[in-house]
Amino acid sequence: MMKFNCEIAIYPRFKKGSGFNKDFDDLICGVTKRVKNIFEIEEKSENMIRRLYFGSDSCIKQFYRSLPPLNELRHLKEEGYDITIVTPPLFETEIKKIFDCLMKIQDKVGEIEVVINDFGFAFYLKEKFFEKKILGVLLNKSLRDPRITMLFDSVITDKKDLFSMAPFSSQYFKNVLLEFSIDGIEFDSLIQGIDTKSFWKKTFFGIIHFPYLHVTKGYSCFWAGYYKKYGKFISDNKEFCNYDCERFGFEIEDGKYKYKMVGNQVLFPVKECVLKKILDDDCENFFKRIVFNYI
Amino acid sequence: MKIIVPISNHQEVEMLVQNGADEFFCGFVPEEWLNRYGGLFWLNRRGPVSGNITDYDELEKLCREKDKFNIPVFITFNAPYYTDEQIVFIVKLIKELKETFNIDGVIVSDLGLIEAINSEIKNIRIHASSLMGIKNSYFADYLRAKGVNRVILPRGLTVEQVLTLRKSIVKSEIEVFILNEGCVFDECHCNTSHKTFGAFCNYLRNKTFKLEQRSGVLEGKENFQKKIDKLLSDYMEWVYYVNGCDNTLNEKGIPNGLCGLCYLKIFFDAGIDCVKIPGRSMSSFKKLISLQLVKALLDGIEQNKINESNISSHAKELRGFSEGCRKKIMCYYTYE
């Protein structure tokens, strides 16, 4: 099993069949939503898991759904776990509600880290205090199209390095992130690699998601369409949600690649070697944390 | 309420102005960009040639024409992101386009580029692209402080959400999509490329979707699978409509594709500043007929001949009532 020289964090809601090392896979699939087996993970894992992720980067309904009761969160905090709350893109009327929710958690549980996936929310939180503010993986616009990136080493040769540079490599974007008081930046385990040389390691730190790439996300949710007679998939249909994404998903096969469609997202699993190469190439030690985003 | 229309060459200017275009947008990809970055890293969301002007002579002619008719033109720089070197290149290019060709503004999607334009170029209008995913006034207000004059709302909002945003975004103009090109996925969070394989959503249409049970017990399996098969079939039909029914025309010669015409009166009354007809790579004919359709309805609204209760029938009559219209699968918006 691979030993990581950085912090390990998990979304405690794993399923079997992640494609990662089998032992680790067997280990984490036993974890329930309520983190009952967290101690078992630590016992068997070579890395201590000290940070837990709750919330959702893609769905407001799942954001609320995935939050454990405050007393459980407080208990986890008392046990020494750091807590990260992940927020999705937010419509006008949701911003204050989510902020109030975060404040309530912080009041009852203690300091929390917040992952932001909406620039409006980042602006809203500009002067608000949290343990850390992280720019979420949805605001990282790096290319995650396996159809293209898988070809980089064979067919396409011109300027492919541009795709391993981050959207945040510009000085101008750095100013934006400083203005929003961002501490860390999330990345997917990009097939094309991640060139961390141009990042500002002293200013921000990197967090890498594994094993799923966030390929794309719908406005509407496939499963909510099940309950609508007309206009099933047009625009925001979350009011028709019945949490079916927790029970069902799709594997999409195109003969070459296998994607997963879960709720409103299409994801693509990458192999462990992709993560390993990214970390090996990160001689600047930019990445300080890996988040296992098993679904 | 203005109508903004895509333009690809100077010969379209007079035709589109005479038929009601108030503003133009286009892409410009100079040869230097292609020499530097090849065909892989696109300067905007379209391929280097398709839907873009690629030589200075054509741009000069187009800008001469637009000045003759006093119509503003906005150049699109809406790639998902740009590197530092690319931002320097683009800022220099925008300065040149403004000083030499008198372009009126730019449509931008990268926060870094907006920051750069705001600090390096004076007196240029900036429109925030729908790719920025602006769904709240906090983001719009932040952008306003950075010199952004107009926000283009993303596709995928309900009519109610558009109206809520109109009320809360008080400092910026608002533009919304009204006809033709759609996106199955959220354009702000779609990290795919249209290069070589085409739009990812369209690409998925003929792929195998295998149902996976993630938890719980599947009751009445056979019946459930039938319902899922029907839902998938509906989904694929919707994807087909969003992609303009493979870019075809209906029996009236109107481009198939998404449509928000039934809500034009609501948007007009709410004070939406501009409606957009996307489709930079459309033929001149498609641009013209789409514009005429929107303009006819807008004229009727302005002359009080068309109201909220009869706009749907007017729109359907002008456009041609279709199966997609009946099933509401070619709508840009829902309104409950």
Side-chain angles (χ1 to χ4, degrees), chain A residues 159-174:
Chain A
K159 307 292 179 188
K160 65 180 183 187
D161 291 349
L162 287 167
F163 292 96
S164 55
M165 292 179 80
F168 322 111
S169 56
S170 86
Q171 183 65 34
Y172 291 104
F173 214 110
K174 179 187 175 185

Side-chain angles (χ1 to χ4, degrees), chain B residues 108-238:
Chain B
V108 183
S109 59
D110 177 57
L111 270 181
L113 181 58
I114 286 179
E115 182 83 7
I117 295 169
N118 188 44
S119 62
E120 308 280 338
I121 306 174
K122 302 295 169 213
N123 302 320
I124 188 155
R125 280 184 68 88
I126 306 174
H127 294 183
S129 164
S130 58
L131 269 84
M132 297 195 89
I134 301 159
K135 293 171 185 163
N136 53 67
S137 58
Y138 304 96
F139 194 10
D141 289 348
Y142 169 78
L143 292 170
R144 184 71 200 98
K146 297 287 175 187
V148 170
N149 308 84
R150 179 185 295 177
V151 295
I152 306 170
L153 297 185
R155 299 162 169 101
L157 296 172
T158 63
V159 171
E160 289 91 339
Q161 286 176 326
V162 171
L163 299 182
T164 301
L165 289 175
R166 176 62 288 182
K167 277 185 192 157
S168 47
I169 299 175
V170 292
K171 297 173 191 164
S172 310
E173 294 172 13
I174 290 184
E175 180 179 312
V176 297
F177 288 87
I178 202 67
L179 203 63
N180 295 341
E181 298 194 343
C183 278
V184 167
F185 297 109
D186 186 338
E187 58 213 308
C188 174
H189 302 297
C190 188
N191 304 304
T192 67
S193 169
H194 288 202
K195 183 177 169 58
T196 309
F197 302 98
F200 185 72
C201 52
N202 212 22
Y203 174 83
L204 291 182
R205 250 170 61 199
N206 56 359
K207 304 297 177 280
T208 309
F209 281 58
K210 189 176 147 200
L211 184 68
E212 276 189 328
Q213 190 167 357
R214 306 184 64 218
S215 67
V217 181
L218 197 58
E219 288 171 12
K221 197 176 174 183
E222 199 176 309
N223 194 32
F224 181 73
Q225 185 62 53
K226 275 184 191 166
K227 285 182 182 174
I228 296 302
D229 289 346
K230 172 74 173 68
L231 190 64
L232 270 174
S233 156
D234 291 346
Y235 184 72
M236 293 310 168
E237 186 183 25
W238 174 65

Side-chain angles (χ1 to χ4, degrees), chain A residues 209-220:
Chain A
H209 281 245
F210 180 82
Y212 285 104
L213 294 180
H214 294 73
V215 176
T216 187
K217 169 191 158 312
Y219 298 110
S220 57

